[in-house]
Amino acid sequence: MIIDCHGHYTTAPKALQDWRDAQIDAFDAGQPFTALDPAITDDEIRASLEGAQLKLQRQRGSDLTIFSPRASAMAHHIGDAEVSLRWTRKCNDLIARVVSLYPENFVGVCQLPQSPGADLLGSIFELERCVNELGSVGCNLNPDPSGGHWTAQPLTDRSWYPFFEKMVELDVPAMVHVSGSCNPNFHATGAHYINADTTAFMQFLEGDLFKDFPTLRFIIPHGGGAVPYHWGRYRGLADMLKRPPLREHVMKNVFFDTCVYHQPGIDLLFRVIDIDNILFGSEMVGAVRGIDPETGHYFDDTKRYVDALPIPAADKHKVFEGNARRVYPRLDAILKGQGR
């Protein structure tokens, strides 16, 4: 089985964004927002997927996508905590509908209603709702709800601990994933995303989070940001800062995906990072959708890169399936329940 750990509903029906635009307009005008749920039919959901994610699953040979709301649209910096909560619930409910229509192709991961300066109580309740009621197997956690201004405390700060306690209780991982950038210095997908991936890793290196939460699990997407390319730097910093070796200090709890859009990048990722810490991911129909003129293939057809690696079949099985089932135990339970 080929499990893609990183997919977003980037092709959701237009009615969802129309609802969001109306919500933002009402907030900006200081008016109450009383609109009904966006009117989206099952047929519209099917149409939004059959020509996109499902088509590409079939063409590229993957079987199941761990699917979440569009990351760039989480936009926690817009509005206030109530605005974020209402928007988040609409997005998560729509993902649950996708999964109900295509239970063999998708499994849900939830967005959180984070908002700059707000506590995490709303996120705790939403995570619990999505896991227990909607069948989510994890969440996307934004380390910078401010949208590129980095006003939040590091992920190792104790202010995050109540949320981490809930993650441990529910036995679900989080993908560290920022949203859009409102800081013109940082292009959202080209700079802000990679900055956040790298920053989160450094925060884990500096702190002692995994001493307090030894079973906590994070996926750092986009191949781990700059980390694999600068692995010697981070090993050296761990030594200089009197941290334990990275293998013991961080890498029992942190995993990288394969959303790296060229063969040399994948080659380096697999040379540097242990095979048990890599999960297959594509983020297809996402940040980079075009065809690479050097290869004639889509940049985000990442399975091709893994297929080309000269590694044992057992290692490819770990990357394509085994590691995801281990990092997402609720996913493993769902698949076993389906006889897969």
Side-chain angles (χ1 to χ4, degrees):
M1 177 182 291
I2 310 296
I3 299 171
D4 186 339
C5 79
H6 191 169
H8 301 297
Y9 197 5
T10 56
T11 60
K14 183 175 179 294
L16 180 68
Q17 189 60 50
D18 291 343
W19 187 94
R20 174 62 161 169
D21 291 342
Q23 183 197 35
I24 294 171
D25 289 344
F27 179 84
D28 289 344
Q31 299 174 350
F33 183 59
T34 57
L36 299 175
D37 288 349
I40 298 172
T41 67
D42 286 352
D43 284 343
E44 287 176 310
I45 293 174
R46 292 188 183 97
S48 73
L49 294 166
E50 288 289 349
Q53 283 88 354
L54 284 169
K55 176 183 175 182
L56 294 176
Q57 276 187 1
R58 297 171 187 132
Q59 288 180 346
R60 300 178 184 180
S62 63
D63 299 297
L64 176 80
T65 300
I66 299 176
F67 210 46
S68 62
R70 182 160 61 104
S72 62
M74 295 188 297
H76 297 115
H77 57 279
I78 293 177
D80 57 16
E82 178 60 26
V83 167
S84 287
L85 178 61
R86 291 192 66 187
W87 171 236
T88 292
R89 289 177 69 96
K90 295 294 179 290
C91 293
N92 289 335
D93 289 346
L94 188 58
I95 292 294
R97 289 180 63 191
V98 168
V99 174
S100 71
L101 291 172
Y102 298 99
E104 294 191 354
N105 298 94
F106 299 102
V107 68
V109 160
C110 64
Q111 176 177 321
L112 298 171
Q114 299 174 253
S115 188
D119 63 36
L120 288 164
L121 192 60
S123 293
I124 291 170
F125 289 154
E126 183 63 6
L127 178 65
E128 197 163 35
R129 181 184 82 93
C130 289
V131 171
N132 291 334
E133 299 178 21
L134 304 185
S136 295
V137 299
C139 63
N140 288 340
L141 182 67
N142 188 348
D144 174 37
S146 70
H149 294 289
W150 289 94
T151 58
Q153 293 297 317
L155 289 170
T156 51
D157 187 82
R158 288 187 173 272
S159 59
W160 294 93
Y161 275 32
F163 186 79
F164 296 156
E165 289 168 358
K166 182 58 65 174
M167 284 177 57
V168 169
E169 175 189 327
L170 296 171
D171 199 16
V172 296
M175 178 172 280
V176 177
H177 209 308
V178 289
S179 186
S181 171
C182 59
N183 184 335
N185 290 291
F186 304 120
H187 182 276
T189 56
H192 187 41
Y193 280 20
I194 308 304
N195 292 347
D197 304 333
T198 309
T199 296
F201 186 88
M202 188 63 202
Q203 290 176 359
F204 295 146
L205 187 159
E206 289 184 276
D208 288 305
L209 179 63
F210 303 123
K211 284 186 177 179
D212 293 334
F213 297 98
T215 63
L216 197 62
R217 301 180 300 282
F218 293 99
I219 301 91
I220 297 182
H222 319 117
V227 174
Y229 187 72
H230 291 282
W231 192 243
R233 175 181 291 261
Y234 293 104
R235 288 196 300 111
L237 285 168
D239 181 65
M240 290 173 61
L241 295 171
K242 309 303 180 186
R243 304 281 84 191
L246 292 178
R247 184 182 295 273
E248 303 170 14
H249 185 51
V250 176
M251 299 308 289
K252 292 179 181 180
N253 306 81
V254 172
F255 307 85
F256 300 157
D257 72 13
T258 62
C259 293
V260 180
Y261 296 141
H262 66 151
Q263 190 68 51
I266 288 289
D267 294 347
L268 182 142
L269 175 68
F270 277 75
R271 283 200 302 269
V272 172
I273 302 302
D274 190 271
I275 201 73
D276 291 329
N277 292 88
I278 303 174
L279 279 64
F280 174 69
S282 73
E283 202 177 9
M284 62 186 182
V285 199
V288 183
R289 305 185 185 188
I291 294 176
D292 185 344
E294 296 182 5
T295 67
H297 296 281
Y298 283 93
F299 283 103
D300 63 1
D301 185 2
T302 55
K303 182 176 179 292
R304 294 181 63 255
Y305 309 137
V306 179
D307 285 339
L309 292 169
I311 60 175
D315 285 350
K316 288 186 179 179
H317 176 266
K318 286 184 177 182
V319 172
F320 282 136
E321 178 181 356
N323 292 343
R325 296 179 80 133
R326 177 168 53 87
V327 174
Y328 291 87
R330 287 178 178 267
L331 166 64
D332 185 53
I334 289 171
L335 292 175
K336 287 178 177 175
Q338 294 174 343
R340 302 164 81 183

